[in-house]
Amino acid sequence: MNGSHAEIFDDVAVYALGTLPEAEAIRMREHLETCEECRDEYEALAATVTAVARSAESCTDATNGAVYASPLLKARIMREVRAQSATKTAPATSAPKVRSLVWPAYAISAACLVIALGFGAVNLSLTNRLHHLEATQQEAATTRTVDDATVADLLNERAKRYIVPGGEVVRSNNHVYIAMDDMPQPPAGKVYQAWTQPKGSKVMVPGATFVPDRHGVAILPISSNASLLHAIAVSIEPPGGSKAPTTSPVVLELLE
Amino acid sequence: MTQDAGQLMERVRARDADAFEALYDAHHRVVYGLAARMLGDALAAEDVTQAVFLKIWTAPELFHGGNFAAWIVRLTRNRSLDVLRVRKSHGEAELPETLPEEEAVEDTAFANIDADNVRKALATLPPEQREPIELGFFGGITHDEIARRSGIPLGTVKTRIRMGLKKLRSALGTMVTV
């Protein structure tokens, strides 16, 4: 781009498209501040470029492999937003331990959720989850689709939610889940293992092992009869899990 | 009653998470789709989408009014260009300058455009006009690089982009008005 107005005018389209190198873009920006003709041209073409972006809009579901933003992405974002919103608006007194709403109610395509039965965890990032499953085929022996009831449990606004380090424990419709969204990776060569303590018992019953995805997210179904449980815990264990906890719990929550 | 993006952004400034959620519902598909198209990577597209929307939440004052859709497209493209810059090894082609987000033009056309119609309109362009437009916008490369890759003179690239955008604007008809 040089100083000739005609040549600058010719560059307005490539500037609107966002393909000018930095130095030329700066000169164009300065020119647009003083040239009404080029400014009009730019505004007309910029609106069209915005429309070009719209052509890449993703689909509402993953049918036929369409580009599709997982609704679980929204869950992660809204969780952070609502947490910050609550922080901004909460009174100075201590925050309630049980939040009324963490997972916003939204339409969700249960067909896109996959659970690793052998591995026991449902990671929230679909792509990550698939990569992870691929990398742990020996542990994830099979997969199945999560049913709508499970998704509904996790999104239930009336669920009881216990805040724990890295996430929460969700008790919904007498089902219990560990739902983590900021859980560090376990040490190399280790996994997390869930434990349950039945009411009236002092023994921790071993549950599934799991690791969070790279966002620190994982959901672990714990029990379908919460009323029988006194507590749940998570500890760091060797791959395959242990028969009794070998480390101090990183999560320990009483359900009563 | 559905609120427009400007009204929702006013509520976001007041830390209204419900308003933010409404903005997400209305605009996440173009944000995610654009990032996915530019980066070719679902995970990276999720990261960009998350970064864009959390930016909106944490710094809503960056939106100075005007066309919210155009603004969020620029946020997304610029953020995706940042990712591409990190990916680029030394010696590769220069990436274009990010578009100033505050320059999102004052028009309301975008909100009324159906993505399918835009795709159809793009399909009406001759390939020699459509391809440099898509390569430049989604590929995140400069017009010089487009010329180099396609083996055609730089002036021809500029002309084809300009003609293509004008033809696209015409094809979109009344859906794009300033």
Side-chain angles (χ1 to χ4, degrees):
Chain A
M1 188 173 72
N2 61 30
S4 158
H5 179 267
E7 289 177 332
I8 293 175
F9 188 81
D10 282 344
D11 278 346
V12 170
V14 288
Y15 174 71
L17 189 62
T19 61
L20 275 186
E22 181 177 3
E24 294 178 50
I26 291 171
R27 285 198 292 273
M28 175 62 76
R29 207 168 298 142
E30 292 170 351
H31 178 76
L32 290 176
E33 290 178 3
T34 59
C35 179
E36 189 175 346
E37 182 184 9
C38 288
R39 180 76 192 178
D40 288 345
E41 173 85 346
Y42 167 72
E43 291 188 355
L45 295 179
T48 310
V49 170
T50 301
V52 171
R54 190 66 179 263
S55 74
E57 187 176 279
S58 60
C59 299
T60 54
D61 60 46
T63 304
N64 298 323
V67 175
Y68 163 63
S70 165
L72 299 170
L73 171 63
K74 177 181 175 180
R76 282 205 303 271
I77 294 171
M78 288 309 302
R79 179 186 172 88
E80 187 160 341
V81 165
R82 291 196 185 281
Q84 290 182 21
S85 178
T87 301
K88 295 278 184 184
T89 58
T93 53
S94 60
K97 189 179 181 188
V98 178
R99 284 177 285 188
S100 61
L101 173 62
V102 176
W103 298 88
Y106 54 81
I108 186 169
S109 172
C112 76
L113 296 176
V114 179
I115 185 168
L117 292 179
F119 206 59
V122 182
N123 293 326
L124 285 181
S125 167
L126 175 62
T127 310
N128 236 333
R129 183 169 60 248
L130 294 174
H131 288 169
H132 187 75
L133 289 173
E134 185 179 18
T136 56
Q137 285 177 348
Q138 66 275 28
E139 289 194 84
T142 184
T143 63
R144 70 171 173 83
T145 301
V146 173
D147 59 27
D148 288 340
T150 300
V151 176
D153 278 347
L154 292 172
L155 303 180
N156 185 356
E157 293 187 26
R158 287 174 292 185
K160 196 167 185 179
R161 300 170 192 277
Y162 305 82
I163 301 172
V164 298
E168 60 191 10
V169 173
V170 180
R171 179 174 179 170
S172 177
N173 297 322
N174 209 32
H175 293 76
V176 179
Y177 305 86
I178 292 174
M180 312 300 285
D181 70 347
D182 189 23
M183 191 176 204
Q185 293 296 311
K190 300 289 186 181
V191 297
Y192 290 112
Q193 184 171 10
W195 305 88
T196 56
Q197 184 180 23
K199 286 180 178 175
S201 170
K202 295 184 178 180
V203 176
M204 298 301 289
V205 178
T209 60
F210 66 101
V211 294
D213 70 13
R214 77 179 176 94
H215 295 289
V217 176
I219 293 176
L220 190 69
I222 293 295
S223 171
S224 58
N225 197 344
S227 60
L228 298 179
L229 297 182
H230 172 63
I232 70 167
V234 174
S235 65
I236 296 171
E237 302 294 339
S242 303
K243 292 182 179 179
T246 62
T247 65
S248 299
V250 296
V251 171
L252 177 59
E253 190 62 44
L254 301 178
L255 298 181
E256 299 172 291
Chain B
M1 187 180 76
T2 302
Q3 287 188 296
D4 67 26
Q7 292 172 313
L8 290 171
M9 281 301 287
E10 285 298 321
R11 291 171 55 195
V12 168
R13 287 189 185 93
R15 319 311 291 153
D16 184 335
D18 292 336
F20 175 86
E21 185 173 5
L23 280 173
Y24 181 92
D25 288 341
H27 296 279
H28 79 277
R29 289 172 59 202
V30 71
V31 171
Y32 178 82
L34 174 56
R37 178 82 178 267
M38 290 185 69
L39 303 174
D41 176 345
L43 276 180
E46 284 196 0
D47 288 344
V48 166
T49 304
Q50 184 162 337
V52 165
F53 278 99
L54 290 181
K55 186 80 172 179
I56 291 169
W57 174 252
T58 56
E61 70 279 3
L62 294 178
F63 178 62
H64 302 299
N67 187 344
F68 179 83
W71 180 68
I72 201 171
V73 160
R74 288 181 176 222
L75 277 182
T76 305
R77 186 171 185 270
N78 289 347
R79 186 79 186 196
S80 298
L81 283 175
D82 290 341
V83 175
L84 290 174
R85 283 193 181 87
V86 171
R87 285 182 183 174
K88 294 276 186 187
S89 59
H90 293 295
E92 289 198 21
E94 180 184 10
L95 286 167
E97 166 73 342
T98 53
L99 284 170
E101 286 140 17
E102 66 276 13
E103 271 188 20
V105 292
E106 187 75 42
D107 73 87
T108 57
F110 185 80
N112 299 320
I113 298 173
D114 177 76
D116 286 337
N117 285 334
V118 178
R119 294 183 191 113
K120 288 174 186 171
L122 271 170
T124 66
L125 299 183
E128 64 270 21
Q129 292 177 357
R130 186 183 67 251
E131 287 167 6
I133 288 173
E134 293 188 323
L135 189 57
F137 189 76
F138 296 118
I141 62 176
T142 64
H143 57 344
D144 302 281
E145 181 65 12
I146 296 171
R148 191 188 67 77
R149 291 188 189 183
S150 56
I152 57 177
L154 178 59
T156 305
V157 169
K158 292 180 182 178
T159 300
R160 289 178 177 177
I161 287 174
R162 185 175 172 217
M163 295 302 295
L165 287 177
K166 286 180 174 293
K167 198 172 291 184
L168 178 62
R169 182 178 175 78
S170 176
L172 290 169
T174 57
M175 286 184 287
V176 178
T177 55
V178 177

